[in-house]
Amino acid sequence: MSTPYYVSPDQIWEDKKVFVDRGIGQAKEVVVLEYNNGLLMVAENPRRTIFKISEIYDRIALASTGRVSEYETLRVVGIREAEVKGYTYYREDVTGKWLTNLYSQHMMTIAQAWDVKPLEIELLVCEVDGNPDFRSQIYKIAFDGTYEEMEKFAVIGGRAEAITEKLNETYTEGLELTQAMQLASQTFESIEVEETEPYQITPHTIEVGCLDATYGRRQFRRFTVEEIAEILNHAS
Amino acid sequence: MLKPDDYGKTDFLQILKSRCPDQVADWNRLNSTHNTLPHNYLEGTTVLALVYNDGVIIAGDRQATEGFQVGERRIQKVFKIDRHSAIAVAGVAGPCFETAKLFQVQVEFYEKMEGISLSLDGQANYLSSLVRMNLSLAMQGLIVLPIFAGYDLKQKKGRIFKYDALGGRYEEDTYYAIGSGGKDARSTLKKMFRPDMSEQDALTAVVEALWDAADEDIATGGPDLIRKIFPTLIAITEQGVSEVSDEIVAGLFDELVSRLG
């Protein structure tokens, strides 16, 4: 039997990061913004049935980017576990932080395994109405399961940093839903202008969902193309 | 992580059974040697549904009995299932509510997994299996009987499904009522039903049926004017499920009383 080559943990970890960054670098972005009644999620996504934004539970939604098949599994895991937990205890006991830890553990386990490729995805767990002290909570989870708490807005995807910089200047608190949607679409437009082959931002090419604390128990809502068009036209 | 085999599973009950078996009542553990059943359980009484031109109304009284006593005056027997359907349950309260809760979670679970609502027929079929789950309970005389009603977006009409204790599913085109006062309510609905009724006429008929059930059946609760407790009425149309407010229901009973008096 031949002796395996020694590879330092630093090197292994560095390789995995480079590999994932290359995948995420090409991924379209999702922006999540807090508005006066909840959280708005907007993604560059021309597909009509394959989503980046999805409902997990009453007050919780998932925004994801990267490989669809990989985040799809986590979406399903999240819904299953949330329903089981909510059925066992009470619906309000299902929280965003709990779901974030669940995802984090799954992703960390895969990232640390030596014989599997890490997941090429980034996630935002979005929650409204969970804690009376905050209007919303957003958790950003990286491929290796590390996560951080975001305030007011968050971005995932290839150009997340550039978009975050823009939003740092333009985002204000207490936006109306229509204003928040307009801000998100303008932010995407301004980032696309800098591209050699810009992606057209139209109601058909963005996916929009929200968690609105005024909707009663199920707070998630997905906007149709017509609804998006109406809001964006009305706003401009 | 999820095994590929598990991925396509959309049956919440099976997932719950495999993950937390203690959360699902296993009535099959009851057997014929346990002849002495506890007596202190609650029973829900009258529930009904009626088709009208815009959809369907589903309703129930608010009383539950415990033997010959009033067990609960404010119980809810009618539950919204999804945007276009609702269930009303009569029978032994505990398993009734468990059935309704499981059914609601299942339909919502399916919708989230698939991204589209479970069809009305799909919902009605699934409910069959939930009712059948309580079979051994039914053998002991503890029966759970639901009425399921919804607006069918494809057929553009309100539909009513009734069940028997063995899980048999039957569709009613017009109206149905079940529970201890079910027969009395059915008699009234039979006399008052007309094809293509307006919502107002339908509500009037439903309120009169509930009144007659409460009048003839000691277990069914009528409107409680002192405590301000009124039966639950839910209208389901193309626009979705909406509960008829207590004020409107109280007004309908006032009209009925002046008509009868």
Side-chain angles (χ1 to χ4, degrees), chain A residues 56 72 75 81 83 217, chain B residues 6-7 19 108 112-113:
Chain A
I56 298 293
E72 170 66 10
R75 179 186 78 92
E81 298 300 317
E83 290 287 3
R217 180 173 68 79
Chain B
D6 283 338
Y7 174 78
R19 299 272 284 100
E108 197 172 306
K112 282 190 286 194
M113 297 286 255

Side-chain angles (χ1 to χ4, degrees), chain A residues 55-58 72-77 79-81 83-84 87-88 91 106 110 217-218, chain B residues 1-2 6-7 9 12 15-16 19-20 23 98 101-102 104-105 108-109 111-114:
Chain A
E55 177 184 17
I56 298 293
Y57 207 61
D58 297 352
E72 170 66 10
T73 313
L74 287 174
R75 179 186 78 92
V76 168
V77 167
I79 296 172
R80 286 168 65 118
E81 298 300 317
E83 290 287 3
V84 168
Y87 190 87
T88 309
R91 295 194 78 92
H106 271 296
I110 293 169
R217 180 173 68 79
R218 273 177 92 178
Chain B
M1 211 58 180
L2 212 55
D6 283 338
Y7 174 78
K9 282 189 185 154
F12 176 71
I15 294 165
L16 192 65
R19 299 272 284 100
C20 314
Q23 287 298 319
E98 192 189 13
K101 184 179 165 190
L102 256 176
Q104 188 190 47
V105 171
E108 197 172 306
F109 183 68
E111 186 193 325
K112 282 190 286 194
M113 297 286 255
E114 301 285 306

Side-chain angles (χ1 to χ4, degrees), chain B residues 140-155:
Chain B
Q140 309 273 333
L142 305 180
I143 296 190
V144 173
L145 286 181
I147 294 180
F148 176 58
Y151 187 84
D152 193 315
L153 290 166
K154 289 203 177 103
Q155 298 185 14

Side-chain angles (χ1 to χ4, degrees), chain B residues 78-89:
Chain B
V78 190
F79 304 94
K80 180 183 172 184
I81 296 301
D82 78 351
R83 255 175 64 76
H84 291 98
S85 64
I87 184 179
V89 275

Side-chain angles (χ1 to χ4, degrees), chain B residues 42-48 59-67 69-73 75-77 88-93 96-97 143 145-147 177-183 185 210 213-214 217-222:
Chain B
L42 300 192
E43 281 185 275
T45 45
T46 305
V47 293
L48 58 89
D61 75 313
R62 300 286 297 276
Q63 188 158 285
T65 54
E66 187 180 339
Q69 301 267 300
V70 171
E72 171 72 57
R73 294 179 200 279
I75 218 156
Q76 284 289 358
K77 302 170 193 174
V89 275
V92 189
C96 270
F97 297 146
I143 296 190
L145 286 181
I147 294 180
I178 205 166
S180 58
K183 194 168 179 301
L210 286 165
D217 170 41
I218 47 165
T220 303

